[in-house]
Amino acid sequence: MYKFITTLALTICLLGSFTASSQWYETQGHARTNDISVELARTKAMENALKKALLVSGASVSSVQQVVNGLLTQDQISIRSSGSVNSIELVDEIHSDNLITVTIRADIFPQEKKCFAVNFKKSLLITRSHLLQREQANIGEIYRIDKAAMRKLAAQLNQQSTFTKSSSILNNKTEFSRLNNSLASDEISLLTRSLSDSTDSQYIMFSEISNISFDKQATNSWSFWQQGIYPRNFGITFYLYNGVNGELLWQQHYQNSAPWTFTKRIKVDVDGNAFWQSEYGVMVENILDEVIKDIDENIMCEPSRGKIIQVEGNKIMINIGRDHGLKIGDEFSLLHLTNFTSNSGKAYAGYNVSPYKVKVTKLSRQTATASTPDGRLFGNIQVEDLAVRY
């Protein structure tokens, strides 16, 4: 009998060595049961959990689904040339509404690298999306889908992700879409760093909704066409930027369609339950679930950076704390901000690695105080420099 658990977030913890050359990892994964069987949802949740364990352990896999299904009938399966999964054990399982969460324990061999940064949450700012073709929102008057979808994404991130601590700015749009259309990469970098500074966020998320049109022609898969119910598309592109240097870290487009079951003349509340429980709303929510998985995969092993907000003697204060997963005794390296100009006259920002390392001695929810273990005073370290855990 499975031991049921109450947490829905994905967590990863190192349990200890199984042998001298293998390692046990316990992970949680989730999947929705909207339109699939419980058995299929359970398999998808196991895929999600195993993928995270593989990423953290340093192994890699081309098809996690093949691994999960293979391990149901085999004692061992190779993961490319970098390692193998000796066994998977399903430890816990919980069902909550349309979400299934499983806990697995995997014996992964060998572990070539360890993702230390996975222990910390990265702060992510979600900005309001931009509806590229506003006239497509006329039917249903769903003009506020740009705001509602990002509000839903932020809520799901805080519920499901272990690797991000998200906040959002949704009341006003940014200049990102205009700058992106003009290919103004330098201005986007400035916008990203400005938002990062003002919100204490390590990553900034922009997005553009490119397609909410109706399909013009019926297909065999839409048997309800005769009933006056039409497929409606949802296409969206996400852009994830590093707030420290303004660089684009990840970009991905998502596209799907589902029946629009509302009448043409009704105004649909995109923040209401009727919309999100409709077939179209469920489809959008499933896309957002995929986005969360991709965000986690791209952020989880990135260095955890805290900006130095105070320097005093051999102590510093940084703008990440207990809410980001920090603990007393955690060790950080220090990076000193430096600027240089290229031969073409273009200015760049960079960092010099400082010889100083600090350990966390005091914590609050949003900040941490750290000091040099030997009491040495800092040299050129100052406010706006970084404390980094790789």
Side-chain angles (χ1 to χ4, degrees):
M1 179 179 296
Y2 299 136
K3 175 185 176 184
F4 288 89
I5 56 176
T6 58
T7 179
L8 299 181
L10 176 95
T11 57
I12 295 183
C13 60
L14 183 62
L15 297 182
S17 296
F18 176 66
T19 68
S21 55
S22 67
Q23 201 78 59
W24 279 103
Y25 290 84
E26 185 170 293
T27 66
Q28 288 180 9
H30 70 275
R32 295 193 178 275
T33 57
N34 293 322
D35 301 314
I36 59 177
S37 65
V38 172
E39 290 75 16
L40 181 57
R42 181 184 297 115
T43 299
K44 287 183 175 294
M46 290 177 65
E47 293 170 19
N48 177 240
L50 179 59
K51 187 172 185 178
K52 298 302 181 183
L54 289 167
L55 287 170
V56 173
S57 69
S60 58
V61 61
S62 57
S63 175
V64 177
Q65 182 177 2
Q66 181 181 358
V67 175
V68 173
N69 291 336
L71 282 169
L72 296 178
T73 57
Q74 301 179 26
D75 293 331
Q76 187 177 42
I77 187 167
S78 295
I79 311 300
R80 291 183 181 171
S81 60
S82 60
S84 63
V85 177
N86 294 325
S87 64
I88 289 180
E89 178 185 353
L90 182 59
V91 179
D92 298 306
E93 181 175 330
I94 185 172
H95 297 253
S96 176
D97 297 328
N98 62 344
L99 192 72
I100 180 173
T101 300
V102 300
T103 301
I104 68 166
R105 187 175 296 136
D107 180 26
I108 300 176
F109 168 85
Q111 181 183 339
E112 294 191 344
K113 65 179 181 180
K114 192 177 293 183
C115 175
F116 294 104
V118 77
N119 296 323
F120 304 114
K121 289 188 175 183
K122 284 76 173 181
S123 52
L124 171 66
L125 178 70
I126 298 175
T127 63
R128 186 169 178 169
S129 191
H130 183 75
L131 191 57
L132 293 181
Q133 302 185 65
R134 186 174 172 81
E135 68 278 2
Q136 292 182 350
N138 289 342
I139 296 180
E141 299 184 41
I142 57 172
Y143 304 107
R144 294 171 63 85
I145 188 69
D146 55 354
K147 184 177 180 180
M150 294 306 100
R151 181 182 290 111
K152 175 68 71 171
L153 176 63
Q156 290 182 202
L157 264 170
N158 285 328
Q159 180 190 45
Q160 299 173 16
S161 175
T162 295
F163 309 117
T164 60
K165 178 183 180 296
S166 65
S167 58
S168 58
I169 298 178
L170 302 179
N171 288 332
N172 298 304
K173 296 179 181 179
T174 70
E175 292 293 311
F176 170 79
S177 192
R178 179 183 64 80
L179 297 173
N180 193 42
N181 185 59
S182 303
L183 302 178
S185 57
D186 289 344
E187 287 80 358
I188 292 176
S189 177
L190 289 173
L191 172 63
T192 299
R193 284 179 282 160
S194 175
L195 289 171
S196 174
D197 288 340
S198 62
T199 62
D200 281 337
S201 300
Q202 186 175 343
Y203 295 95
I204 309 297
M205 174 76 77
F206 302 107
S207 61
E208 295 176 322
I209 299 175
S210 56
N211 187 9
I212 52 173
S213 66
F214 284 85
D215 284 348
K216 300 300 183 182
Q217 297 180 350
T219 63
N220 292 334
S221 61
W222 300 105
S223 58
F224 40 77
W225 190 273
Q226 304 295 332
Q227 305 172 20
I229 299 176
Y230 301 90
R232 191 169 196 169
N233 298 297
F234 185 79
I236 187 169
T237 303
F238 284 90
Y239 308 83
L240 181 66
Y241 282 82
N242 187 326
V244 174
N245 55 27
E247 294 180 351
L248 178 63
L249 177 66
W250 166 77
Q251 174 182 335
Q252 183 68 42
H253 179 75
Y254 301 84
Q255 175 78 38
N256 206 343
S257 60
W260 182 259
T261 53
F262 303 95
T263 61
K264 289 185 177 181
R265 293 178 177 82
I266 189 174
K267 181 179 179 179
V268 178
D269 179 10
V270 290
D271 289 309
N273 290 333
F275 172 78
W276 289 106
Q277 292 174 3
S278 70
E279 293 184 67
Y280 187 81
V282 168
M283 178 271 294
V284 174
E285 190 169 16
N286 286 336
I287 286 180
L288 299 181
D289 282 342
E290 289 300 314
V291 174
I292 292 171
K293 295 176 185 177
D294 291 340
I295 291 173
D296 274 346
E297 182 176 336
N298 283 277
I299 281 183
M300 60 184 294
C301 285
E302 285 291 308
S304 293
R305 293 182 173 98
K307 185 171 292 185
I308 297 176
I309 57 177
Q310 187 180 80
V311 180
E312 184 178 344
N314 73 322
K315 295 181 180 180
I316 61 169
M317 181 178 290
I318 57 179
N319 65 347
I320 55 176
R322 188 181 298 111
D323 284 355
H324 303 87
L326 269 66
K327 302 182 297 296
I328 299 295
D330 284 337
E331 189 174 82
F332 285 80
S333 299
L334 301 183
L335 301 183
H336 175 60
L337 176 64
T338 182
N339 297 293
F340 64 93
T341 303
S342 67
N343 292 335
S344 63
K346 188 174 182 179
Y348 290 90
Y351 289 93
N352 291 331
V353 179
S354 169
Y356 304 101
K357 287 193 174 182
V358 293
K359 285 189 176 181
V360 174
T361 58
K362 185 178 179 181
L363 280 173
S364 68
R365 290 186 59 187
Q366 301 294 332
T367 64
T369 300
S371 60
T372 54
D374 55 7
R376 284 199 303 167
L377 300 179
F378 299 114
N380 57 357
I381 295 300
Q382 57 194 15
V383 172
E384 298 295 321
D385 288 343
L386 299 180
V388 182
R389 173 72 183 266
Y390 291 95

